[in-house]
Amino acid sequence: MTVRSAKDFFRPLAVGAPEPLREIPARPSRAIHFFDPSNEKMAAKVPQLAGTVDVLLGNLEDAVKSDRKEAARAGLVKIARDTDFGTSQLWTRVNALDSPWVLDDLTTLVGEVGEKLDVVMVPKVQGPEDIAYVDRLLAQLEARAGLSKPLLVHAILETARGMVNIEEICGASPRMQGLSLGPADLAADRRMKTTRVGGGHPGYLVREDPRRTSDGVDVDVDGERATYQQDLWHYTIARMVDACAAHGIYAYYGPFGDIADTVACEDQFRNAYLLGCVGAWSLHPKQIEIAQRVFSPSVEDIVHARRVVDAMGDGTGAVMLDGKMEDDASLKQCLVLVDLAEQLAARDPELRKLYDDAVPDERPTP
Ligand code: GLV
Ligand code: MG
């Protein structure tokens, strides 16, 4: 694809639109809590949730019935106007680019409440051309509304073509803030044979080798053999993390549909956290706590990371701590955790206290 010259990349795409950001701010977004703005019960809870969750997202796309699309859009405008979001960010997920609703979603939201919105999540993104379309349209709408800061764009990775074009999508605009895995749509598009929203599948496994029979010649294929369930999403998440990190943007797990299975939800979120994701979606208030806990570095990790930072002095060379070698590279991993802890603690007083009160346990210095 022909790209704009590097000189022009950060020029606004419409006269009067705000300048694109050079760097995507690392704002905490451990839980992106979805609500349906057309659902009065859910809408009524938004003011109480504001300030307690990193991101509140008004969902206009899937899970909102077609005859509620306009009510959802109007509901989100009202909520955005009437709510003081405190330290929470406000995001929206607009309808797909080929739907009859998306043009009005973008026009209305940017025109009416653009100053309150931080990020626009775009579903079913197929390639950089989708981002280029949204990029220009947002610039025109921002210019018309006189907005002072650019809206950021978050793409959901939920088509095979989107996967194939993942790097180009991440680099398609300075507005790109991040990617989320959309496991339900992606599974359907790829013809995976699952029927769930995220999570594993008991049929996706590896099995221990068969034992030899007593004559030592034959193998006992029907004998007892341990099986281990594998993670269906490992490749996708790993690929997403690399594409995002290479472009200075953020990767997110996405939805986990089995609300009652808080244990497996936590496992999936933790795998994503360990692989490099910064957050996940929350579809029910009980998933907020899981995401905000799992995507925050543990106190033990921070205690250890700070010890390594202290021990490594100017950051070069190697030291032994508790029998393990630490060097420039392990220091860099520790700094990822310490920096993340700092960003999160700056907005979460409970975490600030946890991290500040943490003291290393007394171990002999070797
Ligand atoms: C989310 O939108 C998904 O399709 O999983
Ligand atoms: Mg989807």
Side-chain angles (χ1 to χ4, degrees):
M1 191 167 107
T2 323
V3 288
R4 263 175 283 162
S5 147
K7 298 195 299 321
D8 293 335
F9 202 60
F10 291 96
R11 257 181 234 255
L13 286 174
V15 176
E19 289 228 347
L21 300 181
R22 304 248 155 187
E23 215 171 296
I24 299 300
R27 298 183 64 187
S29 43
R30 296 162 295 179
I32 303 171
H33 184 65
F34 272 53
F35 65 92
D36 172 353
S38 78
N39 177 322
E40 276 166 29
K41 248 176 74 187
M42 274 193 209
K45 286 204 187 121
V46 170
Q48 293 140 42
L49 288 171
T52 70
V53 52
D54 293 343
V55 178
L56 281 157
L57 179 145
N59 175 35
L60 307 182
E61 200 224 7
D62 291 357
V64 176
K65 274 193 147 321
S66 56
D67 60 2
R68 303 292 295 159
K69 294 288 187 189
E70 261 120 54
R73 189 189 300 136
L76 183 53
V77 168
K78 180 162 165 30
I79 291 167
R81 278 210 185 111
D82 297 350
T83 310
D84 173 3
F85 289 91
T87 51
S88 300
Q89 299 178 57
L90 176 65
W91 295 20
T92 183
R93 178 170 77 168
V94 295
N95 283 287
L97 296 177
D98 60 356
S99 76
W101 304 291
V102 65
L103 186 58
D104 288 338
D105 290 346
L106 290 168
T107 311
T108 305
L109 289 172
V110 181
E112 306 281 323
V113 290
E115 284 292 352
K116 282 260 180 117
L117 271 180
D118 293 289
V119 176
V120 176
M121 187 183 270
V122 183
K124 301 175 177 69
V125 169
Q126 303 267 4
E129 71 284 359
D130 287 343
I131 303 301
Y133 168 79
V134 173
D135 200 6
R136 177 78 74 171
L137 180 57
L138 284 178
Q140 292 168 344
L141 295 170
E142 287 167 342
R144 193 164 72 179
L147 299 193
S148 56
K149 65 174 174 43
L151 285 157
L152 300 181
V153 169
H154 180 108
I156 315 181
L157 198 58
E158 48 188 357
T159 65
R161 199 158 89 76
M163 276 307 295
V164 168
N165 292 327
I166 187 166
E167 284 87 11
E168 282 188 61
I169 291 171
C170 290
S173 159
R175 289 184 199 275
M176 282 302 297
Q177 179 274 345
L179 293 182
S180 282
L181 166 69
D185 271 302
L186 183 56
D189 198 59
R190 278 178 172 164
R191 292 177 221 238
M192 288 167 69
K193 308 302 181 295
T194 52
T195 54
R196 306 171 173 201
V197 175
H201 192 288
Y204 192 72
L205 52 79
V206 291
R207 187 180 301 269
E208 191 185 15
D209 277 3
R211 312 247 150 107
R212 297 231 159 250
T213 48
S214 50
D215 60 15
V217 178
D218 292 323
V219 286
D220 179 16
V221 292
D222 295 320
E224 200 167 305
R225 292 153 69 181
T227 60
Y228 305 90
Q229 193 173 323
Q230 305 290 293
D231 187 352
L232 276 173
W233 301 108
H234 178 267
Y235 152 78
T236 311
I237 292 180
R239 185 127 191 242
M240 186 173 74
V241 166
D242 280 346
C244 286
H247 285 276
I249 69 174
Y250 302 101
Y252 297 78
Y253 178 77
F256 187 88
D258 190 344
I259 309 294
D261 193 351
T262 49
V263 177
C265 174
E266 177 164 340
D267 292 337
Q268 284 277 289
F269 286 4
R270 183 166 293 106
N271 287 350
Y273 165 73
L274 288 170
L275 274 180
C277 290
V278 297
W281 300 4
S282 130
L283 306 179
H284 184 280
K286 62 181 162 188
Q287 293 184 338
I288 296 176
E289 183 279 323
I290 302 174
Q292 297 200 155
R293 176 164 43 80
V294 169
F295 287 96
S296 306
S298 70
V299 170
E300 298 75 53
D301 279 348
I302 291 307
V303 167
H304 171 74
R306 285 181 185 155
R307 277 184 78 208
V308 175
V309 173
D310 286 347
M312 279 294 292
D314 75 352
T316 62
V319 294
M320 290 298 286
L321 278 185
D322 309 331
K324 298 190 188 101
M325 192 275 295
E326 309 285 350
D327 69 354
D328 312 47
S330 64
L331 171 71
K332 284 181 194 149
Q333 293 173 68
C334 291
L335 288 173
V336 168
L337 287 167
V338 170
D339 288 349
L340 175 60
E342 263 317 302
Q343 286 152 15
L344 297 175
R347 111 149 195 74
D348 187 331
E350 273 173 43
L351 267 185
R352 160 69 61 216
K353 189 160 164 30
L354 270 181
Y355 293 145
D356 286 356
D357 290 354
V359 275
D361 46 346
E362 289 307 316
R363 274 187 229 173
T365 318

